[in-house]
Amino acid sequence: MTTLERRTEGQLERRPDGQRRHRYSPVTWVRGGGLTNLVFLLPLLIVFGVFSWTPIVEAVVMSVQHTNLVTPATFVGVNNFVQVFKDPLFWTAVRNTGLFALLALIFGYPLPLILAVLMSEVRKAKGLFSALAYLPVVVPPVVAVLLWKFFYDASPTGVFNTVLHWVGIAPQPWIQNATSAMPSLVLEATWAAAGGTIIIYLAALTGVAPELYDAAEVDGSSIWQKIWHVTLPQLRGVLLVTLILQIIGTSQVFLEPFLFTNGGPANATVTILQLIYRYAFENSLGGNYGAATALSILLALFLAILSFVYFRITKSWSDN
Amino acid sequence: MKSPIKVLLASAGALATVITFAGCSASPGAASNEKVSITVASLIPGSSKEAFAAFNARVKEFEKANPNITLKTEEYQWTGPTFSTQLAGGTLPDVFNVPFTDSKTLLQNGQLADITSEVKALPYASKFNKNVLSVAEDSSGKIYGLPYGPYAMGLSYNRAIFEKAGLDPNKPPTTWDEIRADAKIISEKVPGVAGYMQMTSKNTGGWELATTTYARGGRLETTDSSGKTTVKTDNPQTKAALQFLKDVRWTDNSAGSNFLLDWSGMNQAFGAGQVAMYPSGSDVLTSLVQTDNVSPKDYGLTTLPLTGTGAGVLSGGNVAAVSVKSTAAQKAAAVKWIDFYYIQQLVDKTQTVAAAKVLAASNQPVGVPTLPVFDQATYDQQQQWIKSEVNIPLSNVAPFTSKIFSSPIVPEPNKNTQELYGALDAVVQAVLTDKNADVDTLLKGVDSQIQALVDAGN
């Protein structure tokens, strides 16, 4: 502000170059294109406001209310949050969601990267491989789950069990057993989602300068050394983003447990989002919407904090 | 000059006011002879063309008799998840049905319309079986719906599979030991078929466990004279019911390989010949024919074995109700439709025969066993009226109908029923999927979980 002189109402400002202009006012704002900007922005603001921000605000309000959306809501303070924490299923859901996220991280996170690197090495029919990899993403999720339900048929004549029989392995219970249900869901979820991530990695791999590989080759690097010392460091920015997206996505897993097992067997696949669904729609007639929104907010807060911490921790790595 | 933002806000405010007033003015009056349009629940999604044809024929008859009322029909299946959101979102039909299990809770929640005055005007209002009508009444006697199609739980079985396994379908099992033995024979002789199975998912596991507990003389909830309800699933009869399931699954290996079955899933499995016996409502044949291609000649129904003091048959049914968001005129039209479609065929000979003829002409089952909505005499009379239209082999359901009217009928648990059933789903699934499931601990957990809800009045 040292270069601008402070003026009283109605005075003109003197800019460093000596020119004078009118002080900011609604008229200058309109003349400067502010109104036009606002009009162009308005559809976006309305859409976001109506479909995104309003529901968020309403959810926050509902989390401290008891309501069935028909009779007038009553304020209940933090009771809904207390109810959620006291529910024994809450901790089961947290454990199950954590397990899903962990298994998806172990098996589902590296797989697309490995496939993308392998596919980038393919000389012929690269498009075909990309299409094949992306195909599961195109299949509607419900159809995919129904398809995999056939695969997971626990009888000896089930698709996977028939294949296992060919190699002398006994039939497996798949989703019909508390121990194997969650890994089975992760397997399907990985199949369904890997294609999207592969495409991202393939795009990122095209951005890696070929000279780096040439230099590594001149230095006598093996293929693994090239991946470790060239590919992965070059992709680290993308890898960091896909990692947090994967964590957020798997923390909100709903479709697979809902359609495959409805949380069973014996609550072995009840996840946080499914518990939210149960609160709102399944058990309490008229809906325990208060507890459902309370748990939603807890999950959102957790993920927001996690993302913040994650980006703080990985900032330096990402920048370098 | 006004700020553009203020102008915009003022415009938006004016628009909202106009919309609000427009909404108010859209509310119609309640004149009885004015043109009124209502949406009514038709059949469950996936029902056959013939079933819809039969339903549409009834709609036309109604509109002819009531020219001022226009009916729009909508496929409908009661589920807790969709009901509350449809109601809140204003997409619920004006006339719909809810199961006995939930009608009390819904009317207490203010989610069903009070139709007392409309019902009291009906000629048979005083003839209802009081116990049956009570599911749609509040404590002050206000009426929120009309019960129809009450059923008792029975044991559905596939006669064709019985024959394949060398069993006599005319002599279905009469004891729990016989059910177990027949199930074992079926699973051994007809590969890929579960001899006996129960529903396990979406609260049906608890529902069927309540059924098999009642059949052994147990109860899941008891209410004392002061009105306090105690949840007690940790009782010998429930444990016996679970032990039976465990034996069928783990000792005999005759429960098949799919242990995550809800109502639709079980009916599909039964229709596909994958399950030979399962506990069901006595009226399930209608749905099995309409959506699962079951042939009535292959269908058999018998009573569940009753053992021990206090043994009874769990009963249920549906309440035809009116949306709380309907206008007065729509409410009046809705009760007319309920009277016409659900009740007249129980009390009026012409209507009863007409309804049965329409069903029979569309190859829909006529003569499916239900329980009386009114007194026994009215029920017997109605059965006589439709006798010539009955198109299911009555001998196939005779093992059920010959015994059920002398069996004690017991209503479902009445406090936090769905939560109780949902919690018991996990116990039933645990028994079927874990050989070493600790039933005692699991049931104690259910008791404390549901008791807390009951005590809190949620």
Side-chain angles (χ1 to χ4, degrees):
Chain A
M1 290 298 289
T2 52
T3 55
L4 287 177
E5 295 168 30
R6 200 86 184 140
R7 306 292 177 200
T8 55
E9 187 78 18
Q11 284 182 310
L12 299 175
E13 287 178 358
R14 176 168 295 144
R15 286 164 51 171
D17 54 8
Q19 290 179 322
R20 292 178 176 186
R21 69 177 171 89
H22 284 284
R23 193 176 172 274
Y24 176 83
S25 74
V27 178
T28 54
W29 178 73
V30 171
R31 284 182 181 160
L35 184 60
T36 316
N37 292 344
L38 185 66
V39 168
F40 276 106
L41 205 58
L42 211 54
L44 188 74
L45 288 175
I46 291 172
V47 169
F48 264 83
V50 171
F51 296 107
S52 196
W53 300 325
T54 308
I56 289 173
V57 173
E58 283 190 354
V60 172
V61 173
M62 206 182 275
S63 70
V64 290
Q65 287 180 331
H66 181 74
T67 177
N68 62 11
L69 302 180
V70 177
T71 48
T74 49
F75 177 76
V76 294
V78 293
N79 281 7
N80 291 324
F81 292 89
V82 174
Q83 189 191 336
V84 167
F85 281 117
K86 277 188 176 173
D87 184 353
L89 259 187
F90 169 69
W91 297 109
T92 307
V94 169
R95 240 189 348 263
N96 290 342
T97 309
L99 177 64
F100 185 94
L102 182 71
L103 289 174
L105 205 62
I106 294 170
F107 300 107
Y109 183 65
L111 188 70
L113 181 63
I114 294 166
L115 290 175
V117 170
L118 290 176
M119 283 162 64
S120 69
E121 294 295 318
V122 173
R123 301 270 179 237
K124 285 180 185 172
K126 196 179 270 190
L128 175 70
F129 284 109
S130 301
L132 284 176
Y134 199 69
L135 199 60
V137 184
V138 183
V139 177
V142 176
V143 176
V145 169
L146 287 175
L147 191 71
W148 277 71
K149 268 191 168 180
F150 281 108
F151 296 168
Y152 282 148
D153 183 349
S155 69
T157 53
V159 176
F160 282 170
N161 281 342
T162 303
V163 174
L164 291 181
H165 177 71
W166 293 339
V167 290
I169 298 174
Q172 297 301 307
W174 302 109
I175 58 172
Q176 305 289 340
N177 177 284
T179 312
S180 57
M182 195 60 98
S184 302
L185 301 195
V186 171
L187 182 63
E188 190 276 343
T190 302
W191 170 86
T197 322
I198 287 174
I199 297 295
I200 294 172
Y201 288 147
L202 280 174
L205 281 167
T206 59
V208 180
E211 297 81 21
L212 294 173
Y213 290 110
D214 295 341
E217 209 156 300
V218 170
D219 289 343
S221 300
S222 68
I223 184 156
W224 297 115
Q225 283 171 323
K226 279 193 275 183
I227 290 171
W228 187 252
H229 294 293
V230 179
T231 309
L232 290 181
Q234 288 296 309
L235 290 185
R236 65 180 181 273
V238 177
L239 286 170
L240 286 174
V241 172
T242 53
L243 180 63
I244 190 68
L245 287 179
Q246 158 128 358
I247 292 170
I248 291 172
T250 52
S251 301
Q252 298 184 40
V253 62
F254 175 75
L255 184 98
E256 283 82 8
F258 181 67
L259 291 177
F260 270 116
T261 56
N262 197 36
N267 295 327
T269 56
V270 170
T271 58
I272 291 177
L273 246 70
Q274 211 190 353
L275 193 57
I276 292 169
Y277 177 84
R278 282 187 180 184
Y279 284 151
F281 305 118
E282 216 158 71
N283 280 341
S284 300
L285 296 168
N288 194 349
Y289 298 111
T293 46
L295 182 50
S296 306
I297 285 163
L298 287 174
L299 178 65
L301 278 177
F302 169 76
L303 290 177
I305 294 167
L306 181 78
S307 305
F308 178 75
V309 171
Y310 177 84
F311 281 116
R312 292 288 291 192
I313 291 172
T314 58
K315 191 171 184 298
S316 57
W317 187 36
S318 185
D319 289 345
N320 293 331
Chain B
M1 187 181 167
K2 283 182 179 174
S3 141
I5 292 178
K6 280 183 183 168
V7 171
L8 280 170
L9 285 174
S11 308
L15 189 64
T17 313
V18 169
I19 290 169
T20 309
F21 280 115
C24 291
S25 64
S27 177
S32 61
N33 58 353
E34 72 174 273
K35 289 269 181 198
V36 59
S37 174
I38 56 170
T39 311
V40 300
S42 61
L43 304 174
I44 62 173
S47 296
S48 65
K49 261 196 309 192
E50 291 78 11
F52 277 108
F55 182 84
N56 292 336
R58 297 288 290 157
V59 168
K60 277 190 183 148
E61 283 174 34
F62 177 80
E63 287 181 330
K64 200 174 165 191
N66 300 276
N68 65 320
I69 302 173
T70 307
L71 296 186
K72 287 180 196 160
T73 63
E74 200 170 281
E75 289 181 25
Y76 173 87
Q77 181 172 17
W78 157 264
T79 64
T82 48
F83 174 79
S84 48
T85 38
Q86 275 191 300
L87 178 62
T91 57
L92 194 68
D94 294 298
V95 181
F96 52 89
N97 62 281
V98 298
F100 281 9
T101 333
D102 304 320
S103 52
K104 280 269 190 195
T105 313
L106 293 171
L107 69 90
Q108 281 158 9
N109 283 352
Q111 292 171 298
L112 305 182
D114 176 2
I115 52 172
T116 313
S117 57
E118 289 86 353
V119 172
K120 294 275 187 199
L122 297 169
Y124 47 77
S126 59
K127 282 177 72 181
F128 274 102
N129 180 334
K130 294 284 177 212
N131 290 334
V132 174
L133 186 61
S134 70
V135 297
E137 284 181 319
D138 70 6
S139 52
S140 64
K142 283 185 184 164
I143 300 168
Y144 294 83
L146 286 181
Y148 71 94
Y151 61 81
M153 294 299 284
L155 182 73
S156 288
Y157 63 97
N158 185 319
R159 292 172 60 88
I161 292 177
F162 263 57
E163 279 174 7
K164 263 190 205 168
L167 297 169
D168 183 354
N170 294 321
K171 288 182 184 164
T174 55
T175 65
W176 289 106
D177 285 343
E178 284 179 14
I179 292 177
R180 194 179 152 190
D182 285 357
K184 191 162 191 273
I185 290 169
I186 289 167
S187 288
E188 283 171 357
K189 294 199 173 170
V190 192
V193 174
Y196 174 88
M197 193 38 199
Q198 286 180 202
M199 298 174 198
T200 60
S201 184
K202 294 188 180 168
N203 302 358
T204 59
W207 176 54
E208 299 232 305
L209 184 61
T211 301
T212 52
T213 298
Y214 280 21
R216 290 172 169 86
R219 298 290 183 273
L220 302 180
E221 289 179 354
T222 52
T223 304
D224 64 20
S225 53
S226 68
K228 181 179 164 46
T229 296
T230 305
V231 182
K232 184 75 178 158
T233 64
D234 182 24
N235 66 66
Q237 292 85 1
T238 303
K239 285 181 191 170
L242 289 168
Q243 183 61 46
F244 174 82
L245 214 48
K246 187 176 177 182
D247 291 339
V248 170
R249 163 73 177 98
W250 297 103
T251 309
D252 302 341
N253 193 24
S254 44
S257 55
N258 186 356
F259 310 114
L260 297 169
L261 289 167
D262 61 5
W263 187 81
S264 303
M266 177 63 93
N267 289 344
Q268 275 171 21
F270 184 79
Q274 294 164 353
V275 171
M277 291 184 275
Y278 76 107
S280 72
S282 58
D283 62 343
V284 76
L285 180 58
T286 303
S287 178
L288 290 173
V289 171
Q290 286 179 350
T291 57
D292 302 299
N293 291 322
V294 169
S295 165
K297 75 177 172 50
D298 290 334
Y299 176 80
L301 179 69
T302 185
T303 48
L304 285 163
L306 301 184
T307 55
T309 317
V313 181
L314 185 133
S315 64
N318 279 289
V319 172
V322 181
S323 171
V324 74
K325 295 197 170 178
S326 301
T327 64
Q330 285 175 321
K331 233 164 51 169
V335 174
K336 273 190 179 174
W337 167 250
I338 293 172
D339 170 48
F340 172 85
Y341 183 68
Y342 296 100
I343 309 295
Q344 280 301 318
Q345 54 178 299
L346 304 175
V347 293
D348 179 83
K349 184 177 179 182
T350 314
Q351 288 295 329
T352 305
V353 174
K357 275 187 191 297
V358 169
L359 285 176
S362 318
N363 289 325
Q364 299 307 295
V366 179
V368 173
T370 57
L371 292 177
V373 176
F374 299 99
D375 49 51
Q376 186 71 43
T378 312
Y379 179 79
D380 292 341
Q381 177 72 78
Q382 186 238 353
Q383 295 299 309
Q384 279 299 319
W385 289 336
I386 62 166
K387 205 169 181 180
S388 60
E389 302 302 330
V390 168
N391 59 4
I392 65 166
L394 287 180
S395 58
N396 288 5
V397 295
F400 178 84
T401 50
S402 62
K403 286 186 195 163
I404 193 64
F405 294 112
S406 58
S407 305
I409 304 292
V410 189
E412 294 176 82
N414 63 4
K415 287 280 170 73
N416 293 84
T417 316
Q418 294 294 356
E419 284 94 340
L420 174 66
Y421 286 171
L424 286 171
D425 274 2
V427 181
V428 174
Q429 289 175 10
V431 167
L432 287 167
T433 58
D434 177 6
K435 199 173 186 175
N436 302 313
D438 183 353
V439 168
D440 287 359
T441 307
L442 290 169
L443 290 177
K444 281 188 174 74
V446 170
D447 285 350
S448 59
Q449 183 190 343
I450 305 303
Q451 189 67 56
L453 291 176
V454 171
D455 294 343
N458 282 331

